[in-house]
Amino acid sequence: MALDNQTIRTGRVGRGVIGSVLSGRLVWTIVSFLSLLVLWALVAALLQSRLFPGPVEVGSKFLSEAASGELGYHVGVTLARVAVAFLVAMLIGSAIGIALGRAKGADQFFDTWLIFFLNLPALVTIILCYVWFGLTETAAVLAVTINKIPNVAVTVREGARSLSRDLTEMAHIYRFGTWKTLRHVTLPQLAPFMAAAARGGLALVWKIVLVVELLGRPDGVGRQLYDGFQLFDVSMILAYAIAFILVVQLIEILVLQPIEARVNRWRR
Amino acid sequence: MTRTNQAIHITVDRKAFPAVADRPEQLVLRGVQLAVEEGSFVVLTGPSGCGKSTLLNIIAGLDSDFQGHVAFSHADPKLAFMFQTPRLLPWRTVEQNIRLVLGDDDAQATAKVAAILDRVGLSEAATAFPERLSLGMQRRAALARAFVVEPDILLMDEPFVSLDDPSADSLRALLIELWNRRPTTVLFVTHDRIEAVMLATRLVRLGGTPASIVQDSDVSLSPTDRLDREKVLACRLRLFENA
Ligand SMILES: Nc1ncnc2c1ncn2[C@@H]1O[C@H](COP(=O)(O)OP(=O)(O)OP(=O)(O)O)[C@@H](O)[C@H]1O
Ligand SMILES: [Mg+2]
C-alpha cells in the first residue's frame, strides 16, 4: 500500500537544533522583556513628565537605593514577613484542610466558617488586627496569615477528599501506622494541591503584606511605596516595584520550580 | 470434613451493602463458613459479582461491617494482600515500595529487599518508578512486596488478571516457587479455572444470591502434575463438571 495519503508522525528528536532554540522559552522571555522596555522608554520620551520617568531614571534610582543599602533592607524585611506568614498559613491551612477533607461531619459544621473567612476582605482583617493587637509586628504577620489560611484550607480539602482508598487500604494491610501513612501515602497525594495552594497563596501574601506595611509598619517595601507616594517620587515607587518583581521571580525560579520538579519526578 | 491446624476460621452469617439512593440494600453473602488449614493454598472461585472480593476484604479486616467473625490461630497474624491492581505507591521507587512494608527497625531490611528483588527479577528496575514499568513488572513488584513481609496469611484477589499468557505463566511459576520456599496459608481468588487447578490444594466455589459455598474439594495433584497441561485439563473437567 502506498504511503502518500497516510499521516506520518515524525519524532521530535529529528527536528533540528534551530527549531528547538527558537521555540525555547528563554529567547521569547528576553524578546518580550526587551520590547516592553523599549515601549516604556518611548512613552516616557514622548510624555517628558516627572511623573512618568523612563527606564534610565528608574534604573539609576534603583542602583542608588541598592548602593545605600535601603533597598536591600526593606526588601529583606518584607521577605521575612512573607516567609513567616506563608509558612504558618501553609501549615495551619493544610492541617485544617486535611481534617475537613477526612471528617465529613466537621466539614459540614465548619463550612460556613470557612466561607465567612474566605469572603472577609483582607483590609478588614488587617484593620481589626491592628485595632486589637496594636501596630505591632505580630499583628501585621497575623493579619496576613489569617487572610491566607482559608484559601490553603479549601484547596487542600479538595485534595483530602479525593485520597485514594486503594492506597489507604494497602497501607493498612502492611501496617504503615499513622506517621508512615501520612508521609508516604497521604502527603504525596496532597502535594499537587499544596503546590497549587502555595502558588496562589504566595501571590496573595505578597500583595497583602504590602498593604499591611503601608498601614502600620515603619519599614518594608510597602512603607517605601507609601513614602514614594507622599513625595510623588514615581522613580522610587517603580524602583521598589521592580525590585519586588525581581525577588518574586527569583523565588519562583530558584525555589518553587525546583521543588515542583522534584515532587513530580515520578510522573510519566 | 475435619481439618487440623486451622489457620483461619471464617464465619460470615450475613454481609449486606446498605441501600444508597434508589439502589436497595444488597445482600451479598449468607452463611459462609470456611476453616482454612495452615499452609494450604485455597482457591476461591465463583461467578462475577458473587462476593469473592467482599469475602477477602472481610478476612483482611478492611471491611468490618458484617455479621459473623473471623478468627486466626496466630495471636497477631502477619497479613499480605495482593490486590487486583498492583497498588504500588507511584511516587516511590520499586525498591522503596518494598522497603516501606518492612519495619523501620528491621536491620536486615536492605538485604531482604535486594534478595526478593533478585528473586522476582527486578534488580535492574529497583530504582525505577512503578508507572514507568509494564503491568507485568508492577505485578512482580507487588508479589515481592507481599512475600518480603514473610506473611502468615497471604490474600490474593485475581492478582494475575489482564496479563498476557506468558507473563501470567511466569508469575504463577514465581508464586509457586516462593510458596514452596516458604509455605504460607494462601487464599487466592480467580476466574481462571486452569489457574485454579494449577495452584490450589483446595478449591472452594461460591455461588447463588446471596452467595454461599456450593463446592469444596481437595485438589490432590502432585507438583509435577501441576505443570502437565493434560493432567491439569483433566483435573479441571473433574472439578468443574457440575459448574
Ligand atoms: N462498596 C460497595 N457498595 C455497594 N455494593 C457493593 C460494594 N462493593 C461490592 N458491592 C456489590 O457486592 C457484590 C459482590 O461484589 P464483589 O466485588 O465482592 O464481587 P466479586 O465476586 O469479587 O466479583 P468479581 O469476580 O467481578 O471481582 C456485587 O454485586 C457488587 O455490586
Ligand atoms: Mg472481585
Side-chain angles (χ1 to χ4, degrees), chain B residues 17 23 26 28 46-55 84 157-158 191:
Chain B
F17 286 104
R23 200 154 163 259
Q26 263 203 306
V28 178
S48 182
C50 75
K52 303 181 295 293
S53 299
T54 305
L55 183 59
Q84 201 162 330
D157 192 355
E158 303 191 50
H191 275 123

Side-chain angles (χ1 to χ4, degrees), chain A residues 165-170 172-176 180 183-186 188-189 263-268, chain B residues 60-62 76-81 87-92 100-102 104 129 131-132 145-146:
Chain A
R165 206 176 133 174
D166 280 7
L167 293 180
T168 310
E169 286 182 351
M170 186 279 293
H172 177 76
I173 289 284
Y174 290 111
R175 304 186 182 178
F176 274 29
K180 227 179 188 177
R183 170 147 177 238
H184 299 285
V185 183
T186 313
Q189 292 181 71
V263 166
N264 286 327
R265 121 198 95 107
W266 55 274
R267 284 179 206 282
R268 292 203 303 139
Chain B
L62 295 175
D76 186 17
K78 226 188 276 175
L79 295 186
F81 200 139
R87 300 201 192 180
L88 299 165
L89 298 170
W91 39 82
R92 295 286 180 265
L100 276 171
V101 301
L102 295 171
D104 293 331
F129 288 104
E131 292 189 353
R132 306 225 170 117
R145 179 177 64 184

Side-chain angles (χ1 to χ4, degrees), chain A:
Chain A
M1 195 202 255
L3 282 171
D4 332 343
N5 291 328
Q6 295 186 348
T7 312
I8 297 174
R9 300 189 200 283
T10 315
R12 221 182 330 148
V13 178
R15 277 187 203 158
V17 183
I18 297 177
S20 61
V21 168
L22 272 186
S23 66
R25 249 179 75 199
L26 187 65
V27 175
W28 282 113
T29 311
I30 292 173
V31 169
S32 142
F33 177 72
L34 286 180
S35 51
L36 184 65
L37 214 61
V38 169
L39 183 69
W40 176 15
L42 280 177
V43 174
L46 274 177
L47 288 178
Q48 287 293 345
S49 159
R50 195 175 61 87
L51 298 180
F52 198 96
V56 178
E57 283 167 75
V58 173
S60 65
K61 181 77 183 180
F62 182 96
L63 290 178
S64 73
E65 285 284 308
S68 73
E70 284 282 294
L71 187 82
Y73 170 73
H74 291 291
V75 169
V77 166
T78 301
L79 210 58
R81 288 186 186 127
V82 167
V84 173
F86 174 77
L87 287 178
V88 174
M90 281 301 289
L91 213 66
I92 298 180
S94 299
I96 295 177
I98 294 175
L100 296 187
R102 303 309 290 152
K104 230 177 164 158
D107 191 24
Q108 277 166 355
F109 183 82
F110 286 111
D111 201 41
T112 326
W113 292 33
L114 215 50
I115 289 171
F116 175 82
F117 280 105
L118 265 177
N119 291 297
L120 190 66
L123 198 52
V124 174
T125 325
I126 297 168
I127 293 172
L128 288 181
C129 278
Y130 277 148
V131 168
W132 287 335
F133 306 109
L135 294 175
T136 61
E137 195 62 44
T138 317
V141 173
L142 188 67
V144 182
T145 311
I146 292 177
N147 269 302
K148 169 90 179 79
I149 286 176
N151 297 53
V152 178
V154 167
T155 312
V156 173
R157 178 177 66 177
E158 221 44 63
R161 278 178 182 158
S162 61
L163 286 179
S164 155
R165 206 176 133 174
D166 280 7
L167 293 180
T168 310
E169 286 182 351
M170 186 279 293
H172 177 76
I173 289 284
Y174 290 111
R175 304 186 182 178
F176 274 29
T178 316
W179 172 238
K180 227 179 188 177
T181 305
L182 187 69
R183 170 147 177 238
H184 299 285
V185 183
T186 313
L187 286 182
Q189 292 181 71
L190 292 179
F193 294 88
M194 289 173 77
R199 264 181 187 233
L202 206 52
L204 184 78
V205 168
W206 284 121
K207 286 164 192 162
I208 298 174
V209 159
L210 296 191
V211 180
V212 168
E213 289 175 342
L214 183 148
L215 284 177
R217 293 278 76 212
D219 48 17
V221 174
R223 186 71 211 182
Q224 294 305 100
L225 292 177
Y226 185 57
D227 289 350
F229 169 49
Q230 293 204 312
L231 302 170
F232 269 48
D233 185 348
V234 180
S235 289
M236 168 133 143
I237 294 178
L238 288 178
Y240 273 92
I242 287 169
F244 196 74
I245 292 169
L246 282 179
V247 170
V248 174
Q249 278 305 305
L250 275 181
I251 290 184
E252 167 84 24
I253 293 168
L254 296 180
V255 182
L256 291 188
Q257 285 179 5
I259 291 180
E260 257 189 296
R262 197 185 147 70
V263 166
N264 286 327
R265 121 198 95 107
W266 55 274
R267 284 179 206 282
R268 292 203 303 139

Side-chain angles (χ1 to χ4, degrees), chain B residues 83-188:
Chain B
F83 304 93
Q84 201 162 330
T85 52
R87 300 201 192 180
L88 299 165
L89 298 170
W91 39 82
R92 295 286 180 265
T93 63
V94 168
E95 205 169 30
Q96 290 168 334
N97 263 286
I98 297 171
R99 174 66 186 85
L100 276 171
V101 301
L102 295 171
D104 293 331
D105 51 348
D106 192 334
Q108 271 99 53
T110 316
K112 283 187 192 167
V113 173
I116 198 85
L117 279 175
D118 184 41
R119 185 130 322 134
V120 302
L122 279 181
S123 298
E124 308 271 290
T127 56
F129 288 104
E131 292 189 353
R132 306 225 170 117
L133 302 179
S134 70
L135 181 59
M137 288 165 96
Q138 293 182 35
R139 292 259 164 86
R140 270 169 207 279
L143 191 63
R145 179 177 64 184
F147 270 92
V148 84
V149 299
E150 305 186 336
D152 300 308
I153 290 155
L154 173 57
L155 305 167
M156 307 181 93
D157 192 355
E158 303 191 50
F160 306 141
V161 79
S162 67
L163 283 180
D164 56 285
D165 286 342
S167 307
D169 279 342
S170 84
L171 273 169
R172 268 191 291 274
L174 192 60
L175 171 61
I176 293 173
E177 184 206 321
L178 290 168
W179 185 65
N180 283 334
R181 208 175 279 261
R182 190 181 172 284
T184 303
T185 309
V186 183
L187 269 157
F188 188 105

